[in-house]
Structures are given as structure tokens and as C-alpha cells.
């Protein structure tokens, strides 16, 4: 809300172009798109998403932290822990396997629902709360079952109260 019209139009064009990237990988299907500004430490635990595929682009602030498959202890992914640092230490076998995407990179992650993978791509959000930085992130997710989707934009908030709009189909982002 309140963003210049040119900016919202550019973001809409970008989301539609990125939809074609997802379509090329998984075929035409229903997608969920979300764009938001993140000021806190959301999703800083190493994890894989329980989706078919997720595309992320960070436009401002630090980008997604990725982990090479060889650096992960897959059995530790299944052991939940309230202590993020302890969980990350168990999951990450080799710290040299961490890589941070750059701002503007298009990151495509296979999720745990991808056929034939033992676990999805392991990643986390960067830690930003201590720095005061803000991240602006576009997320497009390929969903398994379109019957549950609502075509209207849904105002939502993260667990820490950050506002976002979620669109069930990026064709409707205008």
C-alpha cells in the first residue's frame, strides 16, 4: 500500500515473468505468490519447505542462505528443536557448505514434495534483527492441489507481525 504505481507495475511484470520460469520447471499449475518486507528474523532455522517448488528473489537486504546437500545431516532435519542455534548446528555438518544468494538472484528450490528427492533444498533466511536491515522478498510457490486456493489477495502477517499480501495465482497480480 502506498507504493508508486510504476513500482507495483514493475513488480507485477517481474512476478509474471518468473511465473514462466516456474511453469518451465513444473508445468502450468496453480501458484501462490507473496511479496513482503521482512524486518525480523523469520525462518532462520535451516529447513526444507514442504512444497513442490519455491522460487525466491530478494530485492533489498541480505538474501537467502543456501546449504549444499553434502553439508546437511538429513536425519537432523526431522528432529525439531525450539533452539534454532542448536538445530542449525545439528543440521549443518560442514559450515563451508553455506552460501548466501545475492540480492536479485533468482533462487529456485525443490521442496520436500518434489518426486524422488530425499529432502528438499535446505536453506534459511539471513539474520537481520540485530542489524536493523529490512528485506524485500518475492516468493512464488508451486502448490500440489489448486482446489484449496482463493483467487483474491489475502492480507496476512508473519508470526512476528510483518504484513504481506498473498496471491493464490500470480496471473491475478496486476
Amino acid at each position: 500500500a502506498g507504493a508508486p504505481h510504476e513500482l507495483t507495475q514493475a513488480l507485477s511484470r517481474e512476478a509474471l515473468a518468473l511465473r514462466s520460469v516456474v511453469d518451465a520447471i513444473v508445468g502450468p499449475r496453480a501458484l501462490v505468490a507473496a511479496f513482503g518486507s521482512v524486518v525480523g528474523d523469520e525462518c532462520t532455522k535451516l529447513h526444507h519447505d514442504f512444497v513442490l517448488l519455491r522460487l525466491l528473489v530478494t530485492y533489498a537486504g541480505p538474501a537467502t542462505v543456501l546449504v549444499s546437500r553434502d553439508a546437511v545431516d538429513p536425519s537432523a532435519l526431522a528432529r525439531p528443536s525450539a533452539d534454532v542455534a542448536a538445530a542449525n548446528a545439528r543440521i549443518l555438518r560442514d559450515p563451508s557448505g553455506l552460501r548466501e544468494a545475492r540480492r536479485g538472484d533468482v533462487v529456485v528450490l525443490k521442496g520436500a514434495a518434489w518426486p524422488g528427492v530425499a529432502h528438499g533444498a535446505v536453506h534459511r533466511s539471513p539474520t537481520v534483527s540485530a542489524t536493523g536491515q529490512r528485506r524485500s522478498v518475492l516468493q512464488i510457490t508451486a502448490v500440489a492441489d489448486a482446489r484449496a486456493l482463493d483467487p483474491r489477495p489475502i492480507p496476512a502477517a508473519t508470526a512476528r507481525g510483518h504484513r504481506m499480501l498473498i496471491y493464490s495465482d500470480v496471473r491475478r497480480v496486476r
Side-chain angles (χ1 to χ4, degrees):
H5 179 70
E6 297 80 19
L7 179 61
T8 59
Q9 292 296 67
L11 183 60
S12 294
R13 286 190 301 276
E14 173 103 348
L16 290 170
L18 292 170
R19 178 195 175 100
S20 66
V21 171
V22 175
D23 285 350
I25 298 168
V26 296
R29 64 184 320 115
L31 303 174
V32 175
F35 177 77
S37 180
V38 181
V39 294
D41 294 337
E42 303 283 339
C43 299
T44 56
K45 179 180 175 272
L46 292 169
H47 66 283
H48 57 110
D49 297 318
F50 292 93
V51 299
L52 186 61
L53 184 115
R54 178 158 288 152
L55 181 145
L56 301 167
V57 181
T58 302
Y59 295 101
T64 302
V65 177
L66 308 165
V67 184
S68 68
R69 183 170 293 280
D70 299 345
V72 171
D73 177 356
S75 65
L77 284 169
R79 292 183 298 203
S81 174
D83 183 346
V84 172
N88 286 347
R90 280 198 321 268
I91 294 166
L92 186 62
R93 282 196 266 209
D94 180 4
S96 69
L98 286 176
R99 300 282 182 268
E100 187 172 315
R102 293 175 302 187
R103 202 174 350 205
D105 284 352
V106 176
V107 176
V108 180
L109 305 168
K110 289 180 182 177
W114 187 270
V117 298
H119 59 80
V122 178
H123 62 286
R124 69 172 177 80
S125 295
T127 305
V128 295
S129 64
T131 67
Q133 292 179 299
R134 178 182 300 265
R135 302 175 64 226
S136 293
V137 181
L138 173 66
Q139 173 181 294
I140 300 176
T141 303
V143 297
D145 189 350
R147 292 175 292 187
L149 299 179
D150 186 335
R152 297 167 294 173
I154 303 163
T158 67
R160 301 202 178 175
H162 303 118
R163 296 180 334 164
M164 67 174 78
L165 281 178
I166 299 175
Y167 289 85
S168 296
D169 189 333
V170 293
R171 287 178 299 196
R172 299 186 191 279
V173 177
R174 302 239 187 269

